[in-house]
Amino acid sequence: MLRRGSQALRRFSTGRVYFKNKLKLALIGQSLFGQEVYSHLRKEGHRVVGVFTVPDKDGKADPLALAAEKDGTPVFKLPKWRVKGKTIKEVAEAYRSVGAELNVLPFCTQFIPMDIIDSPKHGSIIYHPSILPRHRGASAINWTLIMGDKKAGFSVFWADDGLDTGPILLQRSCDVEPNDTVDALYNRFLFPEGIKAMVEAVQLIADGKAPRIPQPEEGATYEGIQKKENAEISWDQSAEVLHNWIRGHDKVPGAWTEINGQMVTFYGSTLLNSSVPPGEPLEIKGAKKPGLVTKNGLVLFGNDGKALTVRNLQFEDGKMIPASQYFSTGETSVVELTAEEVKVAETIKVIWAGILSNVPIIEDSTDFFKSGASSMDVARLVEEIRQKCGGLQLQNEDVYMATKFEGFIQKVVRKLRGEDQEVELVVDYISKEVNEIMVKMPYQCFINGQFTDADDGKTYDTINPTDGSTICKVSYASLADVDKAVAAAKDAFENGEWGRMNARERGRLMYRLADLLEENQEELATIEALDSGAVYTLALKTHIGMSVQTFRYFAGWCDKIQGSTIPINQARPNRNLTFTKKEPLGVCAIIIPWNYPLMMLAWKSAACLAAGNTLVLKPAQVTPLTALKFAELSVKAGFPKGVINIIPGSGGIAGQRLSEHPDIRKLGFTGSTPIGKQIMKSCAVSNLKKVSLELGGKSPLIIFNDCELDKAVRMVEEIKKMKIGDPLDRSTDHGPQNHKAHLEKLLQYCETGVKEGATLVYGGRQVQRPGFFMEPTVFTDVEDYMYLAKEESFGPIMVISKFQNGDIDGVLQRANSTEYGLASGVFTRDINKAMYVSEKLEAGTVFINTYNKTDVAAPFGGVKQSGFGKDLGEEALNEYLKTKTVTLEY
C-alpha cells in the first residue's frame, strides 16, 4: 500500500542563496503545476522534505514525482490516505517522519485527512482556480466560463474541514476574454501566476506575514464536476450563453447535442461578430433555427439573433472532424510516404513508444488515448514532435482528430506537404473596377485572423482625395476592439504557434509575404493611389517596391539575431560563463501616418515580426485600405492567427488605448511631434512600455555655390511644367493632398508666409478642380524668424533662404537652430567641406550630393524633437528586442 519512490544521493555544487526565513515543506498532490510549484519553492531556498503523490499510472510516474526523484527528494506514492474514515497508520507515520512545517497542496485529487492537514506547525495551504467563495468545487475553471464571469482568478487559502471554505491567504484575478477557453485561461494566467502566488504565499508564512481572511458566505457558490449526461445544450438561449456553455465544457466532458439521431460534441466555440458566411443548413434537435456548415465551421444561432461558430465536432465513436467538413464524403485516400516522410514516421513512432510505455509495440491500429494517454500527454507529444521533427508544429486538435497511429501519421504527412491547411479566409470586399483591374478591398477590422465588424458596429467613410468621393465605409475600431486585438496578439505570442516557431520558419513566412506583396503590387499601388492620392507610378516603385524589399531584408535577419559571450572577472578559476540573449518583447503596437501608408507599415512591422513579436497596427484614419489588404495577404502567407492585427479608427480612441494598454510592451509611432509627446507620456504612465518615435522634421538642405546646380535644384521653370492630376494617369507628376483638412492647413501656411514678407515665386494656391489638389510652391527671401523657416509644412512647399558664401559655421548654426532633426543634406564638390558639414548637422540622416535616397539596410530616424529610435537596418531590430544577461557556474 505504501511505497516510497526510488531515490539516489546526489552531491552537486550550487550558487549560494541567502534567505532569512525558509521552511521545511511537504508537497502533497500531482500534475505539471505541482512540479513547477515544487521546483520554484526549492529555487527560493525552501527545503522540500517530502513529496506525497499518486502511484504510477500505466508505468508512468507523475511529473511531480519525476522531478522530486531526480532531485533526491523523498517521494511517497500513495493510493489513498485513509480507510473507513480513518487515517492509515503507516501512511501517517511516513508523513510525520519527514518533519514538515507546512503542507503545500498545489493540485491534489485525493482526500487528505484533517490530522494530516493540521499536523505541521503552520498547517496547510491549497491552490484553488477561482476567486473564492465563488465556484467552490472541482470544476471551478469550467464554471467560470459557463456562468459567463467577466473575471477569473485563483485563491490560495488555509485548509479547514470544509470544501474550499478555509480563510483566504491571497487572491489574484484577470479579465475573461470573450473567446477564452479553459486552456487559454489556464495557460495565460492561472498556471504561470498561480505558481508565483504559491511561492509568494509560502514566503509570507515563513516571514510571519500571511493573513487569514475569513471567506464571506455572500456570493458563495458550489458546483460539482459536470458529467456528460448533464452537458447537453439547451438551445432557447442567447448566442453568448450558448458560447459560454460550449467553451466551459471544452474539452471535458464536452457540450453536446443530437444531430441525425447521434450525440455530437462541440469544441472550439467563438462568438461571430461579423456577417454570417454562406453555408449549408444542418438541422439540430431542439434548435429553432438550423445551423450552417460554412468554410469556417458550424454556425449556431441564439434566440437573440446573434451567432457563434464551432470549429470541431466529435461523434459517438470518438472520431473528431473539422465542423466545416460535416457534409464531406468522409474517407480520405491514404498517401504514400516518401523516404524522408518514412524517417519522420519512425521518429514519431519512437515518441509514441516513449509516452505509451505500457504498450509493447506501436502498431498502425494503436489508439493514443485508449492506450492510456491523457491530455497532458497530448501537449508532450506535440512538443516532442516539434523538437525532433524539424520544427513541425502540430496543434492539440490534430491528436484528437487522429487518435490511431496510422491516421496520425497520415495527418502529419499531409501537414508536411501543405495539404492540411486551414479553411479559406472569409473576406467581405468592396470591389471596384479601376486602373484597368478589379481591386478587392477589405474594409473591416482584422483581429485574431478574421475580418470582423467593429464591436459597436460603427463605421466611417474613407475618401478618395482625387475627387472627394467616398471609396467605402470602414469599420471604426472601439476600445473593445483594441482590447480584443491585444488579447489575440498576446495569446499568439504566449500560447500560439508563433511563439514556438523557429527563426527560419518565421523568415520563410516573411519571404512568402514579400512575394505576395510583389505578386499583388498593381492592386496595392492602385489602392494606395485611391486612398492616399499617391501617384500610381511612384506608389508602384516606392510605396510597394520598398515594402517588398523591406520584408525580404528583415526575413533574412530572422535566424541571425544573436547575443554574445562576455568574458568576466570571475570566469577563472570558478568556471563562470556569461552570455547575452536577444529576445522578443511580446505584443507591440504600431501607429503609422497617412503618407506612404504601406511603406510605413512595412518599415516598422517587418522588423517587429523578424524579432519574433506579435503586433497590433493602427493605420492612419484617412488611409486604412492597404493595411487591411496587407492583413489579407498575411493570412495567405501562412501567418498564424493573432500575430498580425489591424484596427482602423481614430488616434484619439484606438491610438490612445494602444499607448495606455498594459499588455503592450513596445509602441512604434510615426507622426507629429505633439502627438508623439502625448504617446510617450501615456506609455510612461501606463507600464513604461518601450517607445520609438519618428516625428516632425524641418530638414535643411544646404547648397554651396561650388556644387552642380543642375543636380541640386530643379529650376522653377521645371516646376511649372509639372503635370497635376489624377494619380492613376501615368503622365501625372503631382497628385492631390491626402485630405481636405491638410489642404486647408497648407493654404493657411502659404498665406502666413506672404503676410510675413516672404516672396511667393510660384504656387501657393488650390488647383481649381474636384479633389484636394495644390500647386507645388516655392518661397524665397525667407528669414530665420519667419513661420515658414521654423514650422514644418508637410506638403509640396519649398522654402529658400540665402547665406553668405564661405560662412560654413554660420549656415550650420542656422540649420541647427530648429528643434527638429530628422534629415538634412548638403550639395558641394568639396569632400572635406561635405564631411565637416555632415558631422556638425544635428540630424538623424545627412544626404551628400543627393537627397531622400533611403535603403532598407540603412537606419532612418531623428534626433531632438524629431524623435528617437530607428526604422530600417540592423538597428531597427534592436527597437523590438530585449537583452537578457545569463551567468552560470559549471
Side-chain angles (χ1 to χ4, degrees):
M1 182 179 297
L2 174 64
R3 186 171 72 84
R4 178 166 172 172
S6 62
Q7 35 178 318
L9 180 63
R10 300 186 178 191
R11 298 185 183 275
F12 52 90
S13 172
T14 60
R16 293 182 180 179
V17 184
Y18 297 93
F19 291 101
K20 188 174 181 181
N21 302 306
K22 296 301 163 187
L23 295 176
K24 293 189 291 184
L25 308 174
L27 263 287
I28 303 176
Q30 69 257 33
S31 79
L32 183 61
F33 182 71
Q35 174 195 321
E36 288 295 317
V37 171
Y38 162 83
S39 299
H40 281 73
L41 286 169
R42 292 185 77 247
K43 286 178 184 177
E44 290 298 311
H46 297 285
R47 182 184 172 198
V48 180
V49 293
V51 166
F52 298 83
T53 186
V54 293
D56 296 352
K57 181 181 179 183
D58 298 323
K60 295 185 295 181
D62 182 82
L64 174 57
L66 286 173
E69 287 173 343
K70 183 178 179 181
D71 294 332
T73 301
V75 177
F76 303 87
K77 300 178 180 181
L78 310 175
K80 52 187 175 181
W81 289 74
R82 63 179 189 169
V83 174
K84 296 181 179 179
K86 294 185 178 181
T87 306
I88 300 169
K89 182 179 179 182
E90 60 181 330
V91 169
E93 290 173 351
Y95 167 78
R96 291 190 174 92
S97 70
V98 301
E101 298 172 315
L102 173 70
N103 291 333
V104 179
L105 286 73
F107 174 75
C108 182
T109 58
Q110 296 177 311
F111 185 90
I112 312 301
M114 282 308 298
D115 57 329
I116 301 295
I117 290 291
D118 295 335
S119 178
K121 171 184 176 182
H122 297 290
S124 303
I125 59 170
I126 302 176
Y127 171 90
H128 184 78
S130 80
I131 307 171
L132 292 172
R134 189 162 174 79
H135 303 312
R136 293 168 176 164
S139 299
I141 311 176
N142 305 73
W143 284 101
T144 297
L145 296 177
I146 291 169
M147 300 302 291
D149 293 359
K150 301 303 181 185
K151 290 282 186 181
F154 58 80
S155 307
V156 179
F157 68 97
W158 299 93
D160 65 3
D161 58 359
L163 183 61
D164 304 329
T165 57
I168 301 298
L169 195 160
L170 60 79
Q171 291 181 319
R172 299 285 185 270
S173 66
C174 69
D175 292 332
V176 177
E177 301 298 336
N179 290 317
D180 268 340
T181 62
V182 171
D183 286 347
L185 267 179
Y186 187 70
N187 293 330
R188 183 178 80 241
F189 184 80
L190 300 174
F191 183 89
E193 296 303 318
I195 294 165
K196 296 176 189 175
M198 288 298 282
V199 175
E200 180 184 348
V202 170
Q203 192 58 53
L204 286 170
I205 295 170
D207 294 338
K209 299 178 180 178
R212 292 177 180 262
I213 303 169
Q215 288 191 38
E217 282 307 307
E218 182 180 354
T221 63
Y222 171 80
E223 299 95 3
I225 298 174
Q226 276 291 79
K227 296 181 179 180
K228 191 71 175 183
E229 58 266 27
N230 298 327
E232 183 176 5
I233 300 168
S234 175
W235 288 103
D236 191 18
Q237 301 181 89
S238 69
E240 184 176 1
V241 172
L242 294 174
H243 166 65
N244 289 337
W245 184 262
I246 295 169
R247 66 173 175 155
H249 288 86
D250 189 344
K251 297 272 192 283
V252 178
W256 62 277
T257 191
E258 187 176 316
I259 301 176
N260 293 328
Q262 183 177 185
M263 177 190 289
V264 179
T265 304
F266 292 167
Y267 298 106
S269 173
T270 55
L271 289 169
L272 183 62
N273 294 315
S274 58
S275 56
V276 177
E280 189 171 350
L282 176 64
E283 293 294 335
I284 300 173
K285 183 180 179 181
K288 293 184 178 179
K289 185 176 181 179
L292 276 180
V293 177
T294 73
K295 291 181 178 180
N296 289 343
L298 174 60
V299 176
L300 306 170
F301 299 92
N303 61 11
D304 57 352
K306 296 182 179 179
L308 59 142
T309 304
V310 169
R311 192 167 61 247
N312 298 313
L313 306 176
Q314 188 174 40
F315 300 100
E316 291 178 357
D317 62 0
K319 181 181 179 182
M320 185 181 284
I321 65 166
S324 59
Q325 298 178 12
Y326 182 85
F327 288 116
S328 299
T329 53
E331 295 304 319
T332 307
S333 59
V334 176
V335 298
E336 294 294 329
L337 274 58
T338 66
E340 283 300 314
E341 290 165 351
V342 168
K343 291 179 181 178
V344 172
E346 290 300 322
T347 299
I348 293 175
K349 180 175 282 189
V350 172
I351 296 171
W352 273 52
I355 296 173
L356 306 176
S357 56
N358 57 309
V359 178
I361 300 175
I362 302 297
E363 299 176 336
D364 287 347
S365 59
T366 300
D367 188 290
F368 192 68
F369 296 105
K370 290 180 180 178
S371 299
S374 65
S375 58
M376 185 175 65
D377 295 314
V378 173
R380 176 183 167 186
L381 175 61
V382 170
E383 181 62 16
E384 286 198 36
I385 289 175
R386 185 187 69 81
Q387 293 174 349
K388 298 176 182 178
C389 297
L392 175 61
Q393 187 61 63
L394 301 178
Q395 303 299 322
N396 289 4
E397 291 165 2
D398 294 326
V399 186
Y400 289 106
M401 289 184 182
T403 61
K404 292 183 179 180
F405 184 74
E406 181 180 31
F408 184 74
I409 292 300
Q410 291 284 308
K411 189 166 192 64
V412 167
V413 170
R414 288 192 171 89
K415 189 171 283 282
L416 283 170
R417 296 179 182 181
E419 300 171 2
D420 197 26
Q421 300 299 317
E422 289 189 8
V423 294
E424 182 181 350
L425 175 70
V426 176
V427 187
D428 288 337
Y429 294 109
I430 294 295
S431 298
K432 290 183 180 292
E433 189 168 351
V434 62
N435 200 25
E436 299 183 353
I437 61 173
M438 178 65 73
V439 294
K440 300 169 73 174
M441 298 171 284
Y443 60 89
Q444 298 167 295
C445 300
F446 182 72
I447 300 173
N448 204 27
Q450 295 292 326
F451 285 102
T452 179
D453 292 334
D455 185 73
D456 55 11
K458 288 185 179 179
T459 62
Y460 70 95
D461 294 339
T462 186
I463 304 299
N464 182 345
T466 301
D467 57 13
S469 65
T470 297
I471 302 171
C472 64
K473 290 187 177 296
V474 177
S475 293
Y476 189 80
S478 65
L479 295 178
D481 296 307
V482 177
D483 290 346
K484 289 177 187 176
V486 174
K490 188 170 187 283
D491 186 58
F493 181 79
E494 295 179 352
N495 306 312
E497 179 183 356
W498 182 255
R500 300 187 296 269
M501 187 179 294
N502 66 58
R504 289 184 184 173
E505 176 65 12
R506 194 163 69 237
R508 187 190 68 79
L509 292 181
M510 292 185 66
Y511 277 122
R512 175 61 180 146
L513 181 53
D515 291 344
L516 286 169
L517 291 171
E518 190 169 53
E519 290 169 18
N520 293 271
Q521 60 183 335
E522 288 85 4
E523 184 178 20
L524 287 164
T526 302
I527 296 172
E528 198 95 318
L530 285 175
D531 203 27
S532 75
V535 174
Y536 175 79
T537 51
L538 175 67
L540 195 62
K541 177 185 177 182
T542 304
H543 293 220
I544 316 305
M546 194 171 190
S547 298
V548 172
Q549 293 175 27
T550 302
F551 269 93
R552 285 184 177 146
Y553 173 80
F554 282 108
W557 267 111
C558 287
D559 62 353
K560 300 170 186 68
I561 299 170
Q562 55 188 319
S564 58
T565 303
I566 303 171
I568 61 173
N569 286 342
Q570 295 83 12
R572 294 290 184 271
N574 296 327
R575 299 179 67 82
N576 287 324
L577 171 66
T578 295
F579 61 91
T580 60
K581 297 170 63 180
K582 297 287 188 179
E583 298 179 341
L585 298 169
V587 181
C588 298
I590 294 174
I591 302 175
I592 56 174
W594 48 261
N595 64 315
Y596 301 100
L598 187 64
M599 194 175 80
M600 292 292 99
L601 176 153
W603 280 24
K604 295 187 187 299
S605 63
C608 174
L609 294 168
N613 301 287
T614 57
L615 65 87
V616 179
L617 183 141
K618 194 199 85 65
Q621 183 172 345
V622 291
T623 54
L625 295 181
T626 44
L628 293 170
K629 190 68 179 180
F630 168 84
E632 178 193 350
L633 296 178
S634 75
V635 175
K636 292 182 178 179
F639 278 79
K641 66 178 184 179
V643 174
I644 295 170
N645 303 271
I646 310 291
I647 48 168
S650 74
I653 295 175
Q656 182 63 27
R657 177 57 178 156
L658 288 173
S659 65
E660 294 172 343
H661 204 291
D663 289 333
I664 291 174
R665 295 301 171 189
K666 159 70 196 280
L667 190 147
F669 171 74
T670 296
S672 72
T673 297
I675 299 300
K677 290 179 178 179
Q678 178 61 42
I679 284 174
M680 189 173 177
K681 180 180 178 181
S682 298
C683 289
V685 171
S686 57
N687 63 340
L688 278 177
K689 57 177 64 70
K690 191 175 183 179
V691 184
S692 58
L693 305 170
E694 186 205 315
L695 307 176
K698 191 65 178 173
S699 303
L701 173 58
I702 302 173
I703 303 173
F704 289 99
N705 65 355
D706 63 351
C707 76
E708 299 177 36
L709 267 179
D710 59 340
K711 184 178 179 182
V713 181
R714 173 179 278 193
M715 300 304 292
V716 173
E717 291 302 317
E718 292 296 316
I719 293 175
K720 292 178 181 178
K721 297 176 184 177
M722 292 178 69
K723 180 179 178 180
I724 302 171
D726 185 348
L728 291 172
D729 186 333
R730 303 305 192 269
S731 63
T732 294
D733 297 305
H734 185 64
Q737 300 307 297
N738 178 261
H739 50 283
K740 184 178 180 181
H742 188 61
L743 172 63
E744 293 172 347
K745 178 183 175 182
L746 293 176
L747 295 173
Q748 182 61 48
Y749 186 90
C750 293
E751 287 181 19
T752 302
V754 172
K755 288 178 181 178
E756 289 189 329
T759 301
L760 178 61
V761 177
Y762 182 78
R765 297 183 299 272
Q766 181 175 358
V767 178
Q768 296 306 305
R769 57 168 291 165
F772 312 134
F773 290 86
M774 181 180 178
E775 297 173 336
T777 301
V778 178
F779 280 98
T780 60
D781 303 320
V782 177
E783 301 295 334
D784 292 358
Y785 67 85
M786 292 181 178
Y787 182 81
L788 271 63
K790 293 180 179 180
E791 295 300 323
E792 178 185 29
S793 66
F794 208 62
I797 301 173
M798 179 177 287
V799 175
I800 301 174
S801 301
K802 298 178 181 178
F803 65 93
Q804 191 68 34
N805 184 34
D807 186 12
I808 298 175
D809 290 329
V811 74
L812 281 170
Q813 183 179 3
R814 293 172 64 191
N816 291 332
S817 64
T818 175
E819 271 297 299
Y820 297 111
L822 186 59
S824 61
V826 55
F827 277 79
T828 177
R829 296 186 183 186
D830 185 338
I831 188 63
N832 292 323
K833 185 191 298 180
M835 296 306 294
Y836 177 78
V837 171
S838 69
E839 180 183 337
K840 297 298 182 181
L841 280 170
E842 296 171 358
T845 298
V846 179
F847 299 101
I848 299 176
N849 294 330
T850 185
Y851 204 78
N852 208 26
K853 187 173 287 186
T854 54
D855 186 87
V856 293
F860 184 85
V863 296
K864 299 194 289 190
Q865 291 198 43
S866 288
F868 51 83
K870 297 292 184 181
D871 291 323
L872 303 179
E874 182 180 0
E875 285 199 37
L877 283 171
N878 293 324
E879 301 294 334
Y880 296 93
L881 292 166
K882 59 187 177 184
T883 301
K884 178 180 288 182
T885 302
V886 180
T887 298
L888 63 90
E889 181 176 312
Y890 60 98

